[in-house]
Amino acid sequence: MSTSARPEPDATATPPVALRPTRGIAATWWNTFIGIVFIESVLALVLTLAIVETVRGVPLVVAVGTASAVWVLATVPLLLDYRNRADRSSSRSLRALTALAVALAYGALAGLVTGSWLVATFPVVAVLMLLRWPAGIRVRLAVAATVVLGALWAIDAHALPAPDAGGRMLFGLYATLLPGMIVLSLWWWDVLVALDRARASEARLAATQERLRLATDVHDLQGHHLQVIGLQLELVERLMGQDDVAALAHLRTARASVDEARQGTRDLALRFRSVPIHDELANAVDLLRVAGMTAEAVIAPDADDAPASVIGPVVREATTNILRHGGGRRARLSLVRDGGSWRFEASNDAAPARPAGQHADGSGLEGIRRRVGAVGGTLEVRREPDGFTVVVVVPAHVVVSARGGGER
């Protein structure tokens, strides 16, 4: 088996945070989990059936079969620990030691019954491959284990528990390639986790960069006006009692700078919030998917013509409401034109253990009601046993006032 010299992803280098992968990544994990358990189960089953044909004595066959099942079950906690990489508890080490003890006992029993070193060694090697190792160590360990198992296969090829040469060849091949198959499966899982985290990190980085840009704009705007205001007030202080008319003129200039700073800050905030509706909905769907939900969006082709200053905050608040109070597995967002209005819907299924009425009466929905009411829109909330829906209807032609309200 050829092995690349490139080191595997360093799973131990990731920060100890709870990993909540997206639904697609979680499905890939269960494929990996089932694949490894299936390979182990096939080897254990083939070994047990071969012993049934070659060894006399029911108690001995039952003992080996039971030990095979216990060995497979002992590797399951190791696989679950591998996924929950934030776990650093002592119970994790105890589970690893237990699995190693079971593998040693199983290997010793099966090796004594069959007289094969390969049979005695591969259960222990499989457990070692499932432990978490630093970057590159598992690959080297897998190569070394494959070489050792191949040598043992060559040494006791005739002692393998199989009734014919074809069966011995198949069993020896699978047992020898077992370390490589396990490491390759775990490596692929680590790659997908790294990609998933990179995607989430990219989204957080974009948000951080936007905040930094806004902070820089605010700093420049406020710094300029504060400097002007400070200078004008200093002149006022010097002229008081000497030239009251000039002092009053400087005071009026300072007040004008205050008004300009206030209006500039308001315009900057409005520009920051004016994200295209397509992007708002796409960001909301990505956020829901990162949280582990199956999310979809239905967006009208001319959705960017909708009043972004009103719909945008509603989309963000509705998404936050789903994340905080939904707890389900599916969500759907929709923005379509309905006559002379825009109709936005956000719906999600309820969590099995969460009552449907637990959604409401939060400040978020009241904030949406006030915001859309200020522009002549309406809010409808539907609470059902199996789901929750928020429906917002906003007039198509909305002009937002400087105070954040609006008029038609």
Side-chain angles (χ1 to χ4, degrees), residues 18-202:
L19 175 65
R20 188 178 185 183
T22 60
R23 188 177 180 87
I25 297 295
T28 302
W29 159 251
W30 288 115
N31 289 335
T32 302
F33 175 87
I34 293 173
I36 293 177
V37 173
F38 177 76
I39 294 172
E40 295 175 344
S41 301
V42 167
L43 277 174
L45 180 61
V46 170
L47 176 61
T48 303
L49 294 177
I51 290 176
V52 169
E53 297 185 6
T54 57
V55 177
R56 302 297 179 183
V58 175
L60 195 57
V61 172
V62 171
V64 174
T66 303
S68 299
V70 172
W71 169 68
V72 173
L73 292 176
T75 62
V76 170
L78 298 183
L79 282 167
L80 297 178
D81 286 341
Y82 194 90
R83 183 192 187 193
N84 302 324
R85 59 192 65 205
D87 184 8
R88 296 292 185 267
S89 61
S90 59
S91 59
R92 178 171 182 170
S93 300
L94 180 60
R95 290 191 291 269
L97 292 175
T98 301
L100 281 173
V102 170
L104 286 170
Y106 171 51
L109 176 61
L112 287 175
V113 171
T114 61
S116 169
W117 285 101
L118 179 62
V119 172
T121 306
F122 86 81
V124 180
V125 170
V127 170
L128 290 176
M129 293 300 104
L130 295 175
L131 301 180
R132 185 166 293 283
W133 300 93
I137 299 299
R138 180 183 284 108
V139 173
R140 298 184 182 93
L141 189 61
V143 173
T146 302
V147 172
V148 170
L149 292 177
L152 295 177
W153 179 22
I155 291 173
D156 58 7
H158 297 289
L160 293 180
D164 53 25
R168 289 193 294 270
M169 174 67 70
L170 187 62
F171 180 86
L173 181 63
Y174 270 91
T176 302
L177 296 181
L178 179 62
M181 289 187 285
I182 292 177
V183 168
L184 187 61
S185 298
L186 296 180
W187 172 82
W188 178 243
W189 162 248
D190 285 336
V191 168
L192 292 180
V193 169
L195 291 175
D196 190 53
R197 284 180 167 171
R199 187 170 65 89
S201 297
E202 184 181 7

Side-chain angles (χ1 to χ4, degrees), residues 202-219:
E202 184 181 7
R204 289 193 296 269
L205 179 61
T208 301
Q209 289 176 335
E210 187 66 15
R211 293 190 186 100
L212 289 175
R213 185 188 65 79
L214 177 64
T216 301
D217 291 344
V218 171
H219 175 271

Side-chain angles (χ1 to χ4, degrees), residues 310-311 314 338 341-345 365-382 389-396 398 408:
V310 178
I311 300 293
V314 170
D338 185 7
S341 303
W342 286 98
R343 181 184 182 89
F344 170 73
E345 290 190 18
L365 292 179
E366 288 303 318
I368 293 177
R369 191 184 305 276
R370 289 194 299 269
R371 182 179 294 275
V372 301
V375 297
T378 61
L379 169 68
E380 179 185 358
V381 178
R382 302 173 186 166
T389 303
V390 173
V391 181
V392 173
V393 178
V394 176
V398 172
R408 297 180 62 181

